[in-house]
């Protein structure tokens, strides 16, 4: 039986960041679970987040051929059984480069439109949030982010199994033992990856 495939999309300007470490943990766990993993490092691969006319949706043409970069990235994405996003939560959303990747690549005729869907079985959104879970709940940020990603993006693209996981206090502010706290966040990400593998087994 062919192994399952996962695309891990991540965004952070630094490779020595906690986001990068969590990404590496997710990839390691998915690989250990028998997945074929394709890593899409948006910064290091230089993915252009700006939508120009050539990649603007044509609502009257589901078969529009977008730029070669978009078509190649779309093939990498739809070729996966699962997509895992890892990102720092900036302004209570994904970073601009990740939003731009979705804007350009998860496009009309490729991921939605005319009854077309991505064909991706599952999505996981692992966001590293600097604030506490209590602070997010107090202002409804957790619900806002979850609804945007699970419903506004994944559900529209036909992904029924989509989950948002927020790793809070990722800056370590006010945490007495930051080393232990960061280790716990990384363990949580590994568990998410293991659970995803189990869901697709």
């Amino acid at each position: 039986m062919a192994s399952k495939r996962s695309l891990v999309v991540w965004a952070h300007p630094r490779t020595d960041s906690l986001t990068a470490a969590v990404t590496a943990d997710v990839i390691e766990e998915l690989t250990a679970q028998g997945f074929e993993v394709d890593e899409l490092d948006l910064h290091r691969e230089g993915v252009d987040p700006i939508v120009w006319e050539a990649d603007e949706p044509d609502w009257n043409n589901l078969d529009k051929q977008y730029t070669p970069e978009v078509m190649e990235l779309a093939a990498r994405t739809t070729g996966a059984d699962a997509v895992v996003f890892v990102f720092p939560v900036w302004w209570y959303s994904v970073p601009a480069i990740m939003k731009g990747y979705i804007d350009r690549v998860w496009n009309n005729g490729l991921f939605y439109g005319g009854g077309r869907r991505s064909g991706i079985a599952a999505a996981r959104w692992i966001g590293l949030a600097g604030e506490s879970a209590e602070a997010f709940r107090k202002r409804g940020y957790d619900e806002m982010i979850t609804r945007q990603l699970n419903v506004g993006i994944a559900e529209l693209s036909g992904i029924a199994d989509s989950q948002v996981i927020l790793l809070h206090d990722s800056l370590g502010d006010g945490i007495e033992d930051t080393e232990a706290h960061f280790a716990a966040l990384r363990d949580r990400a590994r568990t998410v990856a293991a659970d995803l593998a189990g869901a697709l087994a």
Side-chain angles (χ1 to χ4, degrees):
M1 184 173 66
S3 62
K4 295 290 186 179
R5 300 186 62 216
S6 177
L7 176 69
V8 177
V9 184
W10 71 285
H12 200 284
R14 290 185 291 105
T15 57
D16 64 350
S17 62
L18 182 58
T19 300
V22 167
T23 300
D25 292 331
V26 167
I27 292 173
E28 183 178 358
E29 183 63 35
L30 287 172
T31 302
Q33 295 285 342
F35 273 73
E36 179 184 336
V37 180
D38 178 9
E39 177 185 357
L40 175 52
D41 178 346
L42 296 173
H43 281 82
R44 259 56 61 180
E45 292 199 30
V47 173
D48 184 357
I50 301 175
V51 178
W52 296 102
E53 183 179 356
D55 290 324
E56 184 180 5
D58 183 343
W59 308 116
N60 297 313
N61 180 13
L62 287 172
D63 297 314
K64 175 177 178 175
Q65 290 296 299
Y66 299 99
T67 57
E69 180 188 22
V70 164
M71 298 306 290
E72 189 264 334
L73 288 170
R76 286 173 66 179
T77 308
T78 56
D81 298 289
V83 179
V84 181
F85 296 86
V86 186
F87 56 94
V89 176
W90 288 347
W91 287 103
Y92 308 104
S93 184
V94 299
I97 193 170
M98 184 170 283
K99 181 59 164 60
Y101 154 78
I102 295 169
D103 287 345
R104 289 185 67 211
V105 177
W106 292 49
N107 218 323
N108 181 55
L110 299 177
F111 288 75
Y112 66 90
R116 297 183 182 181
R117 295 294 182 265
S118 66
I120 299 166
R124 296 293 182 270
W125 310 80
I126 302 176
L128 284 81
E131 294 179 278
S132 68
E134 180 183 2
F136 266 58
R137 283 194 300 269
K138 180 179 179 180
R139 297 172 177 83
Y141 293 143
D142 51 353
E143 182 179 350
M144 176 184 71
I145 295 171
T146 297
R147 186 166 184 81
Q148 176 196 7
L149 300 179
N150 282 345
V151 180
I153 298 175
E155 186 175 301
L156 181 65
S157 302
I159 305 173
D161 180 6
S162 179
Q163 298 177 25
V164 176
I165 299 92
L166 297 176
L167 305 180
H168 288 282
D169 295 307
S170 62
L171 298 177
D173 293 342
I175 302 296
E176 185 173 344
D177 188 343
T178 55
E179 186 174 338
H181 175 66
F182 292 153
L185 296 185
R186 295 178 63 176
D187 285 343
R188 176 84 192 285
R190 285 183 176 274
T191 299
V192 170
D195 289 348
L196 172 61
L200 295 181

